[in-house]
Amino acid sequence: AISPTGSRFDVYSSSLGSPRSSNAGESQERSAAVMGRQYLQMEARFSKTLASTVDQLEEARFQSSKLASEKSEVEGALAGSRSQLKGVLGELERAVQEIAMAQADLKDSQIQLLQIKEKLSAAEEARENGLIE
C-alpha cells in the first residue's frame, strides 16, 4: 500500500504482516521509506541531467547546422573569389604580353629613329661638305 505521503516506497507495516508497534517492522518500514526517497531523489537528479543533456545536444545540433550553412556560404564565396582571381590573372597575363609587344615595337621604332637620325646627320654633313645641294 502507498503511504499518505504519496511515496510508492513508503510501505505500511500491515502489509508486512506484523503489528505496527514492532521494532523490526518499523525499522524495515523506515529503511524502505529512506531508500524510496533516495531513489526518487536520484531519479529526479537523473531526469534533470538527462533533460539538460538533451537541451545541450539540441543546441549542439543547431550550432552544427548553422556552422555547416556558414561553411557552405564561405565555400561558395571562396569559389567565386577564385574564379574572379583567375579572370584577373588572365587579364594581367594578356596585359604583360601586350606590354612586351609594345616594348618590342618601341625598340624597333628607336632603331628606325636612330637610322633616320644617322641618315639625316650624314645628309647634313654631305650638304655642309658640298656634296648635296
Side-chain angles (χ1 to χ4, degrees), residues 23-56:
N23 284 339
E26 287 178 15
S27 176
Q28 284 180 341
E29 181 179 324
R30 281 192 292 272
S31 291
V34 167
M35 288 175 51
R37 282 190 290 277
Q38 289 174 342
Y39 173 80
L40 290 174
Q41 289 170 351
M42 287 187 337
E43 184 179 44
R45 282 193 302 266
F46 174 76
S47 292
K48 287 179 185 177
T49 302
L50 181 60
S52 174
T53 302
V54 167
D55 290 344
Q56 290 173 356

Side-chain angles (χ1 to χ4, degrees), residues 1-12 29 32-34 36-37 40:
I2 296 178
S3 74
T5 62
S7 171
R8 59 182 173 204
F9 294 98
D10 289 338
V11 179
Y12 284 112
E29 181 179 324
V34 167
R37 282 190 290 277
L40 290 174

Side-chain angles (χ1 to χ4, degrees), residues 47-103:
S47 292
K48 287 179 185 177
T49 302
L50 181 60
S52 174
T53 302
V54 167
D55 290 344
Q56 290 173 356
L57 179 60
E58 288 175 358
E59 178 64 21
R61 284 182 180 155
F62 171 77
Q63 292 298 330
S64 175
S65 174
K66 186 177 172 183
L67 287 174
S69 175
E70 290 174 359
K71 179 184 175 194
S72 178
E73 289 177 26
V74 167
E75 286 173 344
L78 182 60
S81 294
R82 282 184 183 145
S83 177
Q84 288 178 340
L85 182 58
K86 284 180 183 179
V88 168
L89 288 175
E91 290 177 27
L92 184 58
E93 286 177 21
R94 284 188 293 280
V96 167
Q97 290 172 353
E98 288 177 15
I99 289 170
M101 290 187 309
Q103 285 177 332

Side-chain angles (χ1 to χ4, degrees), residues 109-122:
S109 296
Q110 285 175 333
I111 291 170
Q112 289 174 354
L113 285 173
L114 284 175
Q115 289 171 347
I116 292 171
K117 183 179 177 184
E118 286 174 6
K119 287 179 185 179
L120 284 174
S121 290

